[in-house]
Amino acid sequence: MEIYKYLPESLVLYLKRLDSTKEITEIRIRKNKSVQLTVYGNTVNTDNLIVSEQELEEMLYRMCNCSLNIYDEEISNGYITLNDGCRVGLGGEYYYNPDTERYVLKELVSLNIRIAGDMIRFENQDKLFAQKISGILIVGPPHSGKTSLLKLMAEYLSADCRVSLCDERKELYTGNVNADVIQGIKKPVAISMATRTLNPQYIICDEIGLKEEAEEILSAVNTGVNFICSAHAETINQVFKRPNIKILIENGVFEKMVLVSQKNKKFYIEEIVDV
């Protein structure tokens, strides 16, 4: 795996001894604690494989290409994105710097490496792609395939349509997508930029839910843009309990909601609901 070059040798040797590393979706590394793996949504302990404070800091340094300053903005938002698309969440103590108007990581306590996997196929995805695609909200719990379905839709739509990816965490863009991409910028700003300068038919973005995001989406929809987005929720009904997403639904941003799931190492489209 590409991620090996950032990890301590003891952890690399452990991972290489596993029967299959392709099933690992997350590696959770906490200072002076046992490393944990997430395998298709299940937590697997590594039997006292400990990473020291020094090893943890060296990992972050390597992940930032030996220059933490370059990644200041991402770190202030609690994550960094690696060149291969893996996203690394940063746990620790932060403080606010009023001069830069950013949060600064004072002490690193943990790294959560979310492995960027190969493009997956949903067992019944044809029933979604066979329909007319306009505004779609993809819903599901963690590890259910929301981001993967967004990638599939971006690849499918960009073959014939003008697509813009508002890819704040650098997780959506792949080499198979013929789309305009705005990466590393907060979604409200990226949505505004795409609407004003890229003339998209579709804007695709991951994990919506903030008030500012809802406001920009509503503004962009009035220009004729279709949105394909995702949101955390265990069920379709749960989505309506999130006020900023409920506003989007009530204003007709989404014509369909799609519930996804992962069972027994396979991914499914559970429901397609007309809004």
Side-chain angles (χ1 to χ4, degrees), residues 117-256:
D118 297 330
M119 189 77 81
I120 64 173
R121 176 181 171 83
F122 287 75
E123 293 298 305
N124 45 355
Q125 67 187 39
D126 291 344
K127 69 179 183 180
L128 174 61
F129 291 112
Q131 303 185 31
K132 181 180 181 298
I133 296 177
S134 50
I136 292 178
L137 180 64
I138 299 168
V139 176
H143 307 292
S144 59
K146 296 187 298 297
T147 301
S148 294
L149 185 53
L150 285 178
K151 290 180 179 179
L152 283 172
M153 299 199 73
E155 184 175 328
Y156 174 76
L157 290 169
S158 65
D160 300 302
C161 302
R162 301 187 306 276
V163 175
S164 292
L165 303 181
C166 294
D167 193 7
E168 180 178 349
R169 297 184 176 182
K170 303 178 184 178
E171 293 183 300
L172 293 177
Y173 182 70
T174 69
N176 295 324
V177 177
N178 186 18
D180 300 307
V181 58
I182 300 175
Q183 290 186 321
I185 296 178
K186 291 183 181 299
K187 285 189 284 291
V189 178
I191 291 168
S192 176
M193 290 172 61
T195 305
R196 288 185 289 105
T197 64
L198 298 176
N199 189 27
Q201 293 169 283
Y202 293 90
I203 289 179
I204 297 178
C205 52
D206 206 359
E207 303 298 350
I208 63 168
L210 298 179
K211 179 181 178 182
E212 296 82 0
E213 294 166 355
E215 290 173 347
E216 286 297 336
I217 290 172
L218 284 175
S219 177
V221 162
N222 290 329
T223 69
V225 180
N226 295 291
F227 275 85
I228 313 291
C229 303
S230 69
H232 275 306
E234 297 285 338
T235 65
I236 293 291
N237 288 335
Q238 253 188 21
V239 177
F240 291 93
K241 297 180 181 179
R242 300 186 62 180
N244 296 318
I245 298 178
K246 183 179 179 181
I247 289 172
L248 297 177
I249 296 169
E250 291 174 343
N251 281 273
V253 173
F254 305 113
E255 294 188 5
K256 297 181 185 297

Side-chain angles (χ1 to χ4, degrees), residues 11-35:
L11 180 52
V12 172
L13 292 174
Y14 178 91
L15 293 174
K16 286 183 175 179
R17 288 197 299 267
L18 296 180
D19 292 335
S20 175
T21 57
K22 291 184 178 180
E23 297 179 355
I24 299 173
T25 55
E26 289 182 333
I27 304 173
R28 295 180 179 271
I29 304 169
R30 304 180 179 100
K31 181 174 66 176
N32 298 324
K33 303 291 184 183
S34 296
V35 175

Side-chain angles (χ1 to χ4, degrees), residues 24-62:
I24 299 173
T25 55
E26 289 182 333
I27 304 173
R28 295 180 179 271
I29 304 169
R30 304 180 179 100
K31 181 174 66 176
N32 298 324
K33 303 291 184 183
S34 296
V35 175
Q36 289 182 330
L37 309 177
T38 302
V39 182
Y40 282 106
N42 299 313
T43 299
V44 177
N45 291 306
T46 58
D47 299 327
N48 296 318
L49 177 59
I50 307 295
V51 172
S52 69
E53 179 177 0
Q54 180 179 345
E55 288 175 320
L56 195 68
E57 292 175 351
E58 288 175 351
M59 286 175 59
L60 179 60
Y61 188 64
R62 291 195 294 271

Side-chain angles (χ1 to χ4, degrees), residues 39-107:
V39 182
Y40 282 106
N42 299 313
T43 299
V44 177
N45 291 306
T46 58
D47 299 327
N48 296 318
L49 177 59
I50 307 295
V51 172
S52 69
E53 179 177 0
Q54 180 179 345
E55 288 175 320
L56 195 68
E57 292 175 351
E58 288 175 351
M59 286 175 59
L60 179 60
Y61 188 64
R62 291 195 294 271
M63 289 173 176
C64 292
N65 296 317
C66 304
S67 179
L68 296 178
N69 292 336
I70 295 176
Y71 288 80
D72 268 353
E73 184 170 356
E74 286 191 40
I75 291 173
S76 72
N77 289 312
Y79 72 94
I80 57 174
T81 304
L82 306 181
N83 292 333
D84 61 355
C86 292
R87 191 181 74 202
V88 183
L90 309 177
E93 181 181 352
Y94 289 78
Y95 69 90
Y96 183 71
N97 184 341
D99 295 331
T100 61
E101 297 183 338
R102 289 180 181 172
Y103 288 95
V104 178
L105 181 61
K106 180 180 179 181
E107 180 185 1

